[in-house]
């Protein structure tokens, strides 16, 4: 075995703990480590690998575009960039007035969205609202939007004018007024433990922002690109936001982000007010189009909905005392546990050949590739049910000891 952990300690910035394994290869929903151990990937790089690993469409797009034109700077436009922008507008239903700004990540897309919010300003309109427990990124603007004091504290002071409120309708009603530039929300708060808003919350947020002249900006970095069973989560709420941010699944593993605007919000930026060197380059946008085209052509939204129902049914069939319920939509699901043992369950699942994660002490997050099959859901169910059964048995032994 190589000394990869020593190399991590010696060479990598200590912003993350050492990884669970040194992964060397992936195919479909499976990955392998340097020792040849195989894992079923039910996290997809945290909702990134829409088409799984080494999908032929992804490989072809990278190979062909890299051999043609990878990067040309923002002084020029390229066919892949224009194709992806038009495709995103069509899928999001922006109409002709919609516009797209390409970035390199979700945090960068949210930085662009925050600057867009500032453009909806005036001498008295100076506030941007987001939700406690939200996660919008770790760059300074995105971190100000992120409602997690533990992440913000080492980097205080935060950007002025950004405030958080509790994720309730009454708290939103109390917080919003004509001084608000924008309300920024995740349709599902993945990093908080796949938390849902109360029914009708986003619809009322749309009405309140419209009434007060504020923008409604939805962070669809984790929920977008088919992850919840529709192209974008906002479609399931019967609303049209002023802007959405995208990343993760858009590139299927290749770094890309986007800010997509609707209606009058598309006119807020003026030339020179925002930019990027790498964002929207030909290679990234060619891959993005290949991902979207494959999801569309292969009917993967149907697969998301079918596999989601299968996972829910499988979890219910375990009848485990450690499982309270499943929440989320599509293939962004959280298994609520009855004890704060999610981290231990995650480690035990990994040892048994299954990759999931624990975004909260009592929640297991599932975000498999959109290509996941019925047989792979059965394998997931068998492995995680077995892990939970062992934990339940251990709990019983301790209780009777």
């Amino acid at each position: 075995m190589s000394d990869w952990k020593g190399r991590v300690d010696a060479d990598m910035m200590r912003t993350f703990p050492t990884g669970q394994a040194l992964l060397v290869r992936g195919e479909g929903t499976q990955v392998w480590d340097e020792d040849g151990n195989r894992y079923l990937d039910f996290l997809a790089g945290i909702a990134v690998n829409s088409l799984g690993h080494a999908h032929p469409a992804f490989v072809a797009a990278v190979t062909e575009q890299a051999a043609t034109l990878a990067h040309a700077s923002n002084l020029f436009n390229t066919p892949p960039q224009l194709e992806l922008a038009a495709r995103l507008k069509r899928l999001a239903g922006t109409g002709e007035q919609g516009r797209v700004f390409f970035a390199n990540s979700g945090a960068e897309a949210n930085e662009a969205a925050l600057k867009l919010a500032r453009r909806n300003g005036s001498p008295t309109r100076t506030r941007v609202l987001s939700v406690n427990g939200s996660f919008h990124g770790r760059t300074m603007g995105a971190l100000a939007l992120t409602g997690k004091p533990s992440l913000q504290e080492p980097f205080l002071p935060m950007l002025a004018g950004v405030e958080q409120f509790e994720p309730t309708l009454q708290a939103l009603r109390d917080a919003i007024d004509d001084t608000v530039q924008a309300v920024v929300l995740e349709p599902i708060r993945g990093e908080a433990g796949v938390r849902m808003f109360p029914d009708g919350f986003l619809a009322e947020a749309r009405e309140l922002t419209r009434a007060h002249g504020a923008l409604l900006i939805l962070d669809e970095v984790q929920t977008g690109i088919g992850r919840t069973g529709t192209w974008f989560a906002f479609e399931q709420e019967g609303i049209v936001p002023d802007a959405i941010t995208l990343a993760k699944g858009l590139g299927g593993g290749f770094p890309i982000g986007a800010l997509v605007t609707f209606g009058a919000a598309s006119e807020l930026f003026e030339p020179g007010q925002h930019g990027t060197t790498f964002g929207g380059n030909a290679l990234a946008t060619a891959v993005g189009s290949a991902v979207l085209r494959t999801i569309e052509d292969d009917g993967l939204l149907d697969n998301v909905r079918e596999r989601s129902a299968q996972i829910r049914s499988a979890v219910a069939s375990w009848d485990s005392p450690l499982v309270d319920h499943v929440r989320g939509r599509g293939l962004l699901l959280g298994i609520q546990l009855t004890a704060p043992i999610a981290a231990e369950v995650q480690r035990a699942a990994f040892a048994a050949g299954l990759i999931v994660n624990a975004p909260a002490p009592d929640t297991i997050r599932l975000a498999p590739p959109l290509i996941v099959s019925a047989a792979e859901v059965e394998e997931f169910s068998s492995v995680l049910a077995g892990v939970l059964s062992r934990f339940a048995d251990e709990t019983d032994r301790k209780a009777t000891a």
Side-chain angles (χ1 to χ4, degrees), residues 43 45 47-48 50 64 66 89 97 114 126 153 155 159 177 250 255 263 285 300 307 330 336 344 362 372 391:
L43 191 58
V48 167
S50 307
E64 293 168 11
K89 286 178 58 176
Q97 202 174 359
L114 184 53
T126 58
E153 187 174 351
F155 307 103
L159 181 71
D177 58 26
L250 177 58
T285 52
L300 293 183
R307 299 289 76 77
Q336 176 68 42
E344 295 95 319
D362 56 358
V372 66
F391 272 87

Side-chain angles (χ1 to χ4, degrees), residues 159-289:
L159 181 71
V162 182
E163 306 169 16
Q164 276 79 45
F165 64 94
E166 287 299 310
T168 67
L169 277 172
Q170 189 56 54
L172 174 58
R173 294 180 189 125
D174 292 342
I176 195 167
D177 58 26
D178 290 348
T179 68
V180 173
Q181 296 169 324
V183 177
V184 183
L185 302 170
E186 300 166 276
I188 300 174
R189 300 186 305 285
E191 297 302 316
V194 194
R195 303 288 174 182
M196 309 283 290
F197 285 113
D199 289 344
F201 182 95
L202 290 178
E204 182 151 351
R206 172 68 287 184
E207 292 305 313
L208 288 168
T209 50
R210 184 177 288 118
H212 288 283
L215 301 179
L216 177 62
I217 300 174
L218 297 184
D219 178 343
E220 295 242 22
V221 168
Q222 193 160 158
T223 57
I225 317 301
R227 173 60 53 185
T228 65
T230 52
W231 280 108
F232 308 101
F234 77 80
E235 298 174 79
Q236 299 176 45
E237 302 294 334
I239 64 170
V240 177
D242 296 294
I244 58 174
T245 56
L246 305 170
K248 287 189 179 286
L250 177 58
F254 201 96
I256 187 172
L259 169 67
V260 181
T261 54
F262 301 70
S266 300
E267 307 302 322
L268 290 174
F269 276 140
E270 297 175 5
Q273 290 185 337
H274 197 48
T276 168
T277 296
F278 291 104
N281 71 51
L283 184 52
T285 52
V287 176
S289 279

Side-chain angles (χ1 to χ4, degrees), residues 129-148:
L129 304 180
S130 62
V131 168
N132 282 329
S134 60
F135 183 85
H136 299 283
R138 295 176 183 268
T139 53
M140 287 303 290
L143 185 60
L145 289 169
T146 293
K148 297 194 174 201

